[in-house]
Amino acid sequence: MINLECCRNLEQIDIDPNKNKIVLVGNPNVGKSIFFNYLTDTYVSVSNYPGTTLDISSGNYKDKIVLDTPGVYGVSSFNDEEKVARDIILSADIVINVVDAVHLERDLFLTQQLIDMGKKVVVALNMMDEAKNRGLNIDIDELEKELGIRVVPTVAVKKKGFSDLENNIDKAQKGKISLKQDMEKELDNINENVENRADSLLILEGDENVASFHNKKPREYREKVYMQRRNRVNKIVEKVITKEMTNKNIGDKIGSLLLRPLTGIPILLLLLYALYQFVGVFVAQTLVGITEEMIMIEIYQPFIIDLVSSFIAPQSLIGKILIGEFGVLTMTVTYIFGLLLPLVAGFYLFLSLLEDSGYMPRIAALVDRGLTYLGLNGRAIIPMLLGFGCVTMATVTTRLLGSKREKIIAIFLLGLAIPCSAQLGVIAGLIAPLGFKYFVIYVVTIFLVYAIAGTFLNKVLPGESTDLLIDLPPVRVPEFRNIIKKTYLKSKYFIVEAGPIFAGGAVGITLLKEGGVLQWIQNAVAPFIVGWLKLPKETTEAFIMGIIRRDFGAAGLNSLALTSDQTLVALIVITLFVPCIAAMLVMIKEQGIKQAAMVWLGSWIAAFTVGGIVALFI
């Protein structure tokens, strides 16, 4: 009996549940993506797993489908990653378990759970070169004998052992279980009605989702099952590993330096500067200046406007929807391919370098303590940094975070207090002539709002944020081909997924403008702008333009005759103001319209409240 719920989910991500499936499973940072890319070559698709923000890669290998699961330490329902991995594993015909040879004691726990589930498994024992460098000798024959399954030694970054792995895929078999007689008896009792060992084992381990699916109560044997499994793994490791004394290699030495605050923080600051220069300056300004302004605005838009105008009157409603200021064929296409595509590709390229080099987990570990005060953990440093390049792109990367609570906090802080690179350039140009005093007031105000908002959300949001449980893989030179392929696939998926959202947003804002709603908003808030913020009425137009695009709003202040105090207030408000429409649309996609509306409303309140307070005291 197959868990039909997981099969329905596979159908929703365009996976044929009737086709034989090879599932790649492993702990985080064991190199699964390299195996996946090798087996599937170019025949790859990326889908969003139903009910989560997790992306699942799938591709063809001969007559089978290959599925890549999120990195997990066990098969259960503690978080979205484990739930998705569990559902996919339950449908697997063959499991390729990628194991880190350096951390055999840790990784074999998952291997043994897969075996206990009754799955046909073949182990790819990866990073054998790293194990050798650390003086670890692993008896492969003895490991195969103990597990009862095929074990293939590999070095993924050099493709060593890959052909041998291919030859053993169809030889995958069920291994030796770890459960003792008492637990096997309990499992047999569940099996009388469930008829599937994998589901029965998960029910025995207390998985409420699987138990509910079978109208069963979850059993409370998780700790006992885990102890039996852990004891067996420990005995296996004692038998198969011998260790020689060896000096630390260069990767170990670099890894240690990256984790120590005295050396790690300066290195991190240099990396952040490099990230900002690459994504925030080179991509967001130089490259986007070419793709958006030269190619899309100067070449593409005149061409498409002339083409459509020959068939449809530009001043008609359809004409404005297609080729107007916020047209589907003008603004939408320009935003997606001129602005977002370079940013997305640039981000994923840099992120892939950090991931494959082993540096990403070390960054998270280094900054984890500071971010816990905001209800986040070290993983949140990545979207926060990327927000200074593009808040829209950074919002997508909140998928890295472990809980919905953390994603809400991160998205709110991104939308509230992180100015994108384009906006930063305009803000810097406006505040520089005001003098050091105004610069300090601006920076301190934004920082305080960021810290207070994060602390407040951490206190009031229900639940608890996840702890940073992260492995530190070896520091090594990334494989260029793997980085390029990951960048291409993730960028392609983002564009395919985001395109319809931006098109719908463009149609909506055109209809609002043509219906006079935008003008009505401007007139409605003008008295508040003048009375509370002490700004000219014309500033309202700049704020409304900030909704369309943040840097447009900031640039709109250039043409106004503002005093130094008014400029400071206006810049604070427009920084804390609602995210641009592109970021809002992505927020709706990631968290739903209710959460996005809360971010939008919260940003309005915070921006005008803080702006008014500053106006009172300067």
Side-chain angles (χ1 to χ4, degrees), residues 147-457:
L147 293 175
I149 57 176
R150 302 272 181 159
V151 177
V152 181
T154 63
V155 180
V157 293
K158 298 179 181 178
K159 302 294 189 298
K160 287 186 178 180
F162 277 34
S163 58
D164 192 18
L165 177 64
E166 283 192 89
N167 294 334
N168 279 280
I169 288 176
D170 289 328
K171 298 176 183 177
Q173 59 195 45
K174 298 179 180 181
K176 297 179 180 179
I177 61 174
S178 66
L179 302 188
K180 294 184 178 180
Q181 189 173 358
D182 58 338
M183 287 298 97
E184 280 295 327
K185 186 176 180 180
E186 293 291 339
L187 198 62
D188 288 340
N189 291 334
I190 300 173
N191 267 336
E192 291 179 3
N193 297 311
V194 175
E195 300 177 0
N196 176 272
R197 182 180 177 88
D199 281 18
S200 297
L201 181 64
L202 291 171
I203 294 171
L204 188 70
E205 293 178 2
D207 191 307
E208 295 180 358
N209 297 99
V210 177
S212 175
F213 178 79
H214 290 285
N215 295 317
K216 295 280 187 181
K217 288 185 178 180
R219 303 294 181 90
E220 297 180 356
Y221 290 110
R222 172 174 286 153
E223 186 174 348
K224 195 167 185 177
V225 170
Y226 279 23
M227 285 304 300
Q228 291 182 7
R229 189 173 296 144
R230 171 48 59 197
N231 290 335
R232 172 157 170 74
V233 168
N234 290 344
K235 289 178 181 179
I236 292 173
V237 171
E238 287 178 7
K239 283 187 177 182
V240 303
I241 291 183
T242 56
K243 188 171 184 178
E244 299 174 0
M245 293 300 294
T246 182
N247 294 325
K248 279 189 175 183
N249 60 33
I250 187 65
D252 291 334
K253 293 176 181 178
I254 293 174
S256 297
L257 291 174
L258 296 175
L259 283 173
R260 295 172 186 166
L262 188 62
T263 51
I265 292 175
I267 293 172
L268 176 59
L269 292 175
L270 287 174
L271 177 80
L272 300 186
Y273 180 75
L275 175 61
Y276 175 74
Q277 286 295 320
F278 179 67
V279 178
V281 177
F282 173 70
V283 176
Q285 297 179 32
T286 305
L287 187 58
V288 167
I290 296 172
T291 56
E292 183 181 28
E293 295 176 14
M294 293 177 59
I295 296 176
M296 303 306 296
I297 294 177
E298 295 180 13
I299 298 175
Y300 167 76
Q301 286 196 14
F303 167 77
I304 198 68
I305 289 171
D306 288 342
L307 180 64
V308 174
S309 296
S310 62
F311 299 98
I312 300 171
Q315 297 306 313
S316 66
L317 181 59
I318 297 298
K320 290 179 179 178
I321 288 174
L322 293 177
I323 57 173
E325 183 181 1
F326 311 111
V328 173
L329 300 179
T330 48
M331 185 190 79
T332 300
V333 175
T334 298
Y335 252 39
I336 291 175
F337 294 101
L339 174 66
L340 291 180
L341 181 57
L343 287 167
V344 169
F347 160 72
Y348 278 127
L349 180 64
F350 204 96
L351 183 64
S352 297
L353 282 168
L354 296 181
E355 288 176 340
D356 286 16
S357 67
Y359 187 38
M360 180 77 79
R362 288 170 171 83
I363 296 176
L366 196 62
V367 303
D368 180 60
R369 181 173 296 180
L371 289 174
T372 55
Y373 294 105
L374 306 180
L376 302 169
N377 64 40
R379 291 180 184 272
I381 190 64
I382 299 302
M384 293 303 154
L385 294 177
L386 265 294
F388 289 101
C390 176
V391 171
T392 305
M393 185 64 247
T395 301
V396 176
T397 66
T398 57
R399 295 179 179 185
L400 297 167
L401 305 183
S403 69
K404 185 175 182 180
R405 183 179 190 270
E406 291 168 80
K407 292 169 187 174
I408 292 172
I409 294 173
I411 287 175
F412 185 82
L413 293 178
L414 282 169
L416 176 66
I418 304 291
C420 65
S421 62
Q423 190 183 31
L424 272 175
V426 179
I427 291 171
L430 286 169
I431 206 168
L434 304 184
F436 185 70
K437 168 191 168 184
Y438 289 93
F439 172 76
V440 170
I441 294 174
Y442 172 81
V443 171
V444 170
T445 301
I446 301 302
F447 177 78
L448 286 175
V449 170
Y450 180 88
I452 292 170
T455 305
F456 174 76
L457 290 173

Side-chain angles (χ1 to χ4, degrees), residues 79-94:
N79 53 42
D80 282 350
E81 286 83 358
E82 290 192 359
K83 290 175 185 176
V84 170
R86 176 201 63 198
D87 288 353
I88 295 176
I89 291 167
L90 287 172
S91 71
D93 297 287
I94 294 171

